Amino acid sequence: MIPETSYAPEVLQTAQVVIQPSLDWRIDLEKNIISGNIDETESVRQAVYMILSTERYTKPIYTWNYGIETYDLYQSNKTYIIPQLQSRIMAALYQDDRIQEVSNFKFDVQGSVYHVSFDVRTVFDTTIAAETEVSL
C-alpha cells in the first residue's frame, strides 16, 4: 500500500529551499593524501577533475551517472571524436547540479592524445578554467 499525503497550500507557500554546503574532502594529488575540507568553487574544481578521470560504468562504487564514456571512441576518426568528446564532457559534468554551463572548448590533438580545455560556470558565480587529456 502506498501512503497518501497532502499539504495545505499555505504550507507549500511558506516552504523554503535551503542550499546545502558543497563540502568535500580535499584530495592532494601531489602528496597522495586526503587533508581537510573544501567548499564551493574548489569543491567543484575537484569534482570536475574526478568526474573526467573516471570511466563511466567501470567502477562499481559509482552510480552509472558518474564519469565520462571514452572507451568506444578508440580507433575512431578525429572528425567524429572531437564533437563526441565535447558532448560527453558536457553530459558528464551536467550531472553535478553545481555546474550551470560548460563552454569555450578548445582542442589540441597530438597523435592519439586529445588535450581539451574549457570553462565551467558554477552556481557560486565563478568560472573555472578546466582541462583534461584523453588518450585514444
Side-chain angles (χ1 to χ4, degrees):
M1 176 182 224
I2 298 175
E4 294 182 24
T5 61
S6 62
Y7 296 100
E10 58 273 2
V11 171
L12 294 176
Q13 290 173 351
T14 60
Q16 295 180 2
V17 175
V18 177
I19 298 175
Q20 298 295 320
S22 63
L23 282 175
D24 205 349
W25 296 104
R26 177 186 311 274
I27 300 173
D28 187 338
L29 297 171
E30 293 175 6
K31 297 179 183 177
N32 288 329
I33 60 172
I34 296 175
S35 62
N37 295 323
I38 53 177
D39 197 9
E40 296 187 359
T41 303
E42 285 303 309
S43 180
V44 174
R45 185 184 319 274
Q46 181 172 287
V48 167
Y49 173 80
M50 296 303 292
I51 290 168
L52 297 179
S53 298
T54 305
E55 182 69 27
R56 189 175 276 183
Y57 309 123
T58 60
K59 309 287 187 218
I61 193 170
Y62 298 119
T63 68
W64 283 15
N65 294 333
Y66 191 86
I68 184 170
E69 298 175 61
T70 59
Y71 279 155
D72 64 327
L73 296 177
Y74 289 96
Q75 305 298 320
S76 295
N77 187 337
K78 183 169 92 172
T79 58
Y80 174 76
I81 291 174
I82 289 176
Q84 282 295 313
L85 205 50
Q86 178 175 338
S87 174
R88 291 178 187 197
I89 288 171
M90 291 171 68
L93 295 180
Y94 282 141
Q95 295 297 317
D96 191 322
D97 60 357
R98 300 170 296 177
I99 295 174
Q100 292 182 324
E101 182 182 23
V102 183
S103 60
N104 299 329
F105 281 86
K106 294 181 182 86
F107 289 86
D108 180 28
V109 182
Q110 296 178 352
S112 63
V113 178
Y114 291 75
H115 181 81
V116 187
S117 58
F118 50 92
D119 294 330
V120 177
R121 191 166 50 86
T122 71
V123 296
F124 307 111
D125 292 327
T126 57
T127 300
I128 300 168
E131 58 185 43
T132 188
E133 264 189 14
V134 180
S135 298
L136 298 174

